[in-house]
Amino acid sequence: MNRKILIALLLPTFAHSAGADVQWVLGQSTLAYHVSHPLHQSDGVSHAARGKGVCHEGQCDFLIAVPVKSFDSGDSNRDLHMLQVTRGAQFPLVTVRVRLPEDASVSGTLHADLEIEFAGQTKQYKQVPFERVNQGNDVKISGTIPATLADFKIDPPKLLTVPVKNEMPVHVDMLWHRP
Amino acid sequence: MNLKAGKLIPGGWVLALSLLIAGPSPAQTAGATLSGTIKDSLGTVVPNAKVVVKNTGTGEATEAQANAAGRYSVANLLSGNYEVSVSAEGFEAKVATVQLTVQTNQTLDVALASISTNVAKPALGDLGFPTAQGSAQDQARLDRRSHMLMIHQRLGLITLAPLVATLITSSGASRHGTVAERDWHAALGGAAIGMYAMTATYAIRAPKIEGTATRGPIRLHKTLAWIHGTGMVLTPILGIMAYEQLNRGEKVHGIASAHGAVAWTTSLAYGAAILSVSFKF
């Protein structure tokens, strides 16, 4: 009898963890790209990313999107030039899709395969390391995506006829929470 | 009976004439307006949804796009039955029907179901972004802007050459110099002004991008442009006055004596304008 009661009590808990979808929503975020030029070191920062994650049958799919024009480098002329060379008017969003196993939930380093759509191109990045820190019900994710201009077929912008470097690392700080 | 008909017929003619004079009935011309809000299943507005309103009687379709607040409005619709098709990225398309009567403002709110709720994968629609596709026209405008500013930048650097040469030859153009030296200085100055005008034209005529606030070093660059722009107009005028005074054997006097100071101020402002966008201070 006691065993039946115990099973009846535990069953809903198990069903919730194994069958039902779990959703994550991106709260605060900071995305910053870094571009190097012999005369300049520029950082463009955006806090406008939106994201959602859905965990289903042991797999979590995350989608993060950020408007290209939301990146602010402190110079409107440079930002408009960035918007132009990245074809930001025609492809206004950067989207990042990530698939992770649901059990990748402990604090520490996690390695994620990313699919990034940017400037009309799609590029996969394998095993990008991110630091994950659990903060109560929230999860903080930080890491750097080793993007390059060539990955997205972007012609390097020039200043005084000198092009910027190909490397354009994007540092990511995100705080996810369950709604 | 005939008497009745005789009385009615003139009345009928009056009615027919009045209809002819009045033109088509309001039912044919006066339009109804259909408006509403597009939301998702949770009640959050869906921006930029595509709305097609089709008259099922005539087959005529009118297309509209909801704004950022999810609101749409289609005016000048004839009375009749309509199919309203609503679609947005990340959502399942939905068709609703509505009957419109003459000169009415009818509201039809539509709730769209997110595609992601069916496939357990998040979609752009879930994030409030309607689509990943932008405008090729806006991109062409940006491309044109960048192209013109690139020419502006190159011409600006090239203009430095005749500008510096004009400054170097200025000492020979004074009253201690020869007429040939003054002519040479004037020719170089003319070339610098011409190059400057071309440079400025490319910046002024570059397409403006709506909703972009000017931030950073470009503000200083633009402020300095007011100084060297004014100077580039005043310098040749004062230079011509000084040139004529010297050629008449007079000492440079009056406002023409400000030519050198204005020219140097203009050149320094021009150089600072180039530096302001070349280096990060």
Side-chain angles (χ1 to χ4, degrees), chain B residues 40-279:
Chain B
D40 65 12
S41 52
L42 299 174
T44 310
V45 295
V46 176
N48 306 111
K50 182 183 167 187
V51 180
V52 180
V53 181
K54 185 180 173 185
N55 186 315
T56 55
T58 65
E60 190 176 342
T62 307
E63 199 172 307
Q65 189 174 25
N67 63 15
R71 292 282 304 167
Y72 75 94
S73 179
V74 183
N76 296 322
L77 295 168
L78 299 178
S79 58
N81 293 315
Y82 284 83
E83 270 184 2
V84 182
S85 309
V86 183
S87 57
E89 176 117 349
F91 294 89
E92 290 182 297
K94 190 166 185 178
V95 180
T97 56
V98 65
Q99 187 176 26
L100 297 180
T101 51
V102 180
Q103 285 185 318
T104 56
N105 293 328
Q106 191 137 338
T107 301
L108 177 71
D109 296 336
V110 180
L112 298 179
S114 169
I115 290 172
S116 70
T117 57
N118 298 330
V119 298
K121 273 190 177 181
L124 281 178
D126 297 334
L127 308 181
F129 293 122
T131 173
Q133 198 66 31
S135 159
Q137 199 176 2
D138 288 348
Q139 185 61 46
R141 193 174 166 80
L142 265 177
D143 290 344
R144 182 171 159 77
R145 176 187 180 278
S146 282
H147 181 68
M148 291 185 74
L149 290 181
M150 185 192 70
I151 295 173
H152 166 73
Q153 191 187 85
R154 288 181 184 175
L155 282 175
L157 289 171
I158 295 168
T159 303
L160 273 176
L163 194 66
V164 170
T166 308
L167 291 172
I168 290 169
T169 57
S170 62
S171 59
S174 67
R175 73 189 168 105
H176 304 295
T178 63
V179 173
E181 284 173 319
R182 276 199 289 279
D183 286 346
W184 184 231
H185 174 71
L188 285 169
I193 297 291
M195 291 292 298
Y196 177 87
M198 281 172 62
T199 304
T201 301
Y202 275 92
I204 292 164
R205 293 183 66 91
K208 304 289 179 285
I209 306 300
E210 297 289 326
T212 307
T214 305
R215 303 183 308 275
I218 197 68
R219 289 182 70 176
L220 176 62
H221 186 78
K222 286 183 175 180
T223 303
L224 288 166
W226 285 102
I227 299 171
H228 61 68
T230 309
M232 285 288 181
V233 174
L234 289 177
T235 303
I237 294 170
L238 298 174
I240 290 166
M241 292 169 71
Y243 179 86
E244 287 175 348
Q245 288 171 5
L246 287 171
N247 282 355
R248 285 197 299 268
E250 299 169 7
K251 191 180 173 184
V252 176
H253 59 275
I255 58 168
S257 58
H259 169 69
V262 171
W264 275 101
T265 304
T266 302
S267 302
L268 288 173
Y270 187 78
I274 290 176
L275 291 174
S276 71
V277 288
S278 303
F279 300 96

